[in-house]
Amino acid sequence: GNSTNKPYRFVSSPMTDATIGDVWTSGDYNVYRYNESSANASQDVGWERVFTSKNMVSGKAYAFVANWSTPRTVSFAGKLRADSSFPNVTLTNSGTAASDGWNLIGNPFPCAVNASTFLSDNNSILATGYKAVYLWDNPAGDLDRADYAVYTSGGGAGTSAGGSALTPDGNIAVGQGFFIKANATGQIAFNTGQKTASTSSQFFIAAVGESQRLWLSVEGPGKATNQILIGFYEDGETGTDQYDVIKLK
């Protein structure tokens, strides 16, 4: 953290019986969940405060506004999930389509999840143009929606402004929370086939298959940056397909 802004992290639990207090530490700030049904005309109003005694729902993620001025190890102890039953994601029709369907979920396993397999397994419930995982990457804590990195079936692209400039390259790390945009209310699929091993210390980790890809980055005044990924795939279509998604801004 710093004295001006309060950075926050999206964190999920790899256990079924963890509480907010297992992550929150004295000196941290607040913890929030995201309620898609409360978003209405703006996705910024869906945040609801959660107290430390509450359970961390497996498969959901929480925003910890944390005073982590130095790296910190978070440890979990408890029961591992033995089934694939997870809470539903929701789609509430508020009249503003851009705000609807955003759900903050997270890796529920004690190992990494392959992002491409996750996207393939959930293709039918992800909104057209948003078939991706959106990863908050903003250590400065200036709360800009442009500070989401994105991973699609075609690969990853870094943040649109600020952030740590990490490009997601394929695995959803243990404890990693992220946003998806649903096209209906239903159950998100986390399963054994998505599990993968990784020894990388990078928060966004793993790899994708070889393909023709080009990253374009621009930098403006104040070192504001934006990055897009252009890819060519054998099964790509001339119109919108699973490789095409909209970046948040």
Side-chain angles (χ1 to χ4, degrees):
N2 56 58
S3 59
T4 303
N5 299 316
K6 297 180 175 64
Y8 58 95
R9 281 83 171 168
F10 293 166
V11 180
S12 60
S13 172
M15 303 296 171
T16 61
D17 53 356
T19 68
I20 297 295
D22 291 333
V23 179
W24 188 91
T25 297
S26 179
D28 288 346
Y29 306 105
N30 295 330
V31 181
Y32 298 89
R33 67 174 184 172
Y34 188 79
N35 186 347
E36 184 273 340
S37 65
S38 298
N40 296 317
S42 171
Q43 61 261 49
D44 292 333
V45 302
W47 297 104
E48 299 177 346
R49 188 177 178 186
V50 183
F51 295 96
T52 57
S53 60
K54 297 296 184 181
N55 288 334
M56 297 181 70
V57 178
S58 184
K60 296 289 187 179
Y62 300 82
F64 284 77
V65 187
N67 186 24
W68 294 359
S69 56
T70 58
R72 186 164 93 198
T73 299
V74 176
S75 299
F76 291 94
K79 298 178 181 178
L80 298 177
R81 174 164 287 282
D83 58 47
S84 57
S85 176
F86 294 98
N88 283 352
V89 294
T90 61
L91 172 66
T92 304
N93 186 359
S94 69
T96 305
S99 300
D100 299 339
W102 289 106
N103 288 261
L104 181 58
I105 62 176
N107 180 358
F109 301 126
C111 64
V113 165
N114 183 280
S116 294
T117 305
F118 171 85
L119 292 171
S120 177
D121 290 345
N122 290 285
N123 181 67
S124 63
I125 203 170
L126 297 176
T128 299
Y130 297 89
K131 296 183 185 294
V133 296
Y134 292 87
L135 300 139
W136 181 250
D137 179 24
N138 181 231
D142 60 7
L143 310 183
D144 190 336
R145 276 202 304 273
D147 291 314
Y148 282 90
V150 59
Y151 189 88
T152 78
S153 297
T159 54
S160 297
S164 63
L166 289 175
T167 298
D169 55 0
N171 280 354
I172 302 167
V174 176
Q176 172 71 68
F178 55 93
F179 269 108
I180 59 96
K181 184 174 174 66
N183 61 17
T185 294
Q187 191 175 83
I188 204 75
F190 285 110
N191 56 57
T192 301
Q194 297 166 9
K195 295 180 179 180
T196 185
S198 173
T199 58
S200 173
S201 60
Q202 186 181 11
F203 196 62
F204 305 139
I205 47 181
V208 294
E210 291 297 322
S211 55
Q212 298 182 51
R213 292 176 291 166
L214 172 67
W215 284 266
L216 297 178
S217 299
V218 295
E219 182 175 317
K223 295 185 181 285
T225 61
N226 200 350
Q227 182 185 73
I228 63 171
L229 165 64
I230 301 172
F232 300 89
Y233 309 95
E234 291 185 1
D235 58 344
E237 301 178 4
T238 55
T240 301
D241 57 26
Q242 72 268 28
Y243 300 112
D244 300 307
V245 303
I246 298 168
K247 294 189 74 176
L248 296 184
K249 63 181 180 178

